[in-house]
Amino acid sequence: MGLATTAMARLVWRRELHGAGFWRLVGWACGACALGLVAALILFGRDGKMAGYGLMLATGSLGLWWAGLRGRAA
């Protein structure tokens, strides 16, 4: 999930993410997705719920924003 969202983000925000290293962004996104998955397992008690995958996607996106887009002018 982290690799795919990073690749898509680099395509969409090519200029904004130019200075951020690809593998650095992948690391942040994968770490954030893992935290979201653990949080979903704690909240719901099992894997496989759509809300859990939504939480994982939201935390992965937040990780990408933190690593690459935070503090940049729109």
Side-chain angles (χ1 to χ4, degrees), residues 23-54:
W23 293 109
R24 178 177 171 265
L25 292 175
V26 169
W28 274 94
C30 287
C33 283
L35 287 175
L37 182 59
V38 168
L41 287 171
I42 291 170
L43 288 172
F44 304 122
R46 66 182 184 93
D47 187 22
K49 288 191 168 257
M50 288 304 294
Y53 292 128

Side-chain angles (χ1 to χ4, degrees), residues 52-68:
Y53 292 128
L55 183 61
M56 188 172 64
L57 181 63
T59 56
S61 300
L62 184 64
L64 277 173
W65 170 80
W66 183 266

Side-chain angles (χ1 to χ4, degrees), residues 4-23:
T5 54
T6 301
M8 287 185 273
R10 290 285 295 234
L11 288 174
V12 173
W13 294 292
R14 186 172 296 143
R15 276 182 271 144
E16 292 86 350
L17 293 174
H18 178 70
F22 180 76
W23 293 109

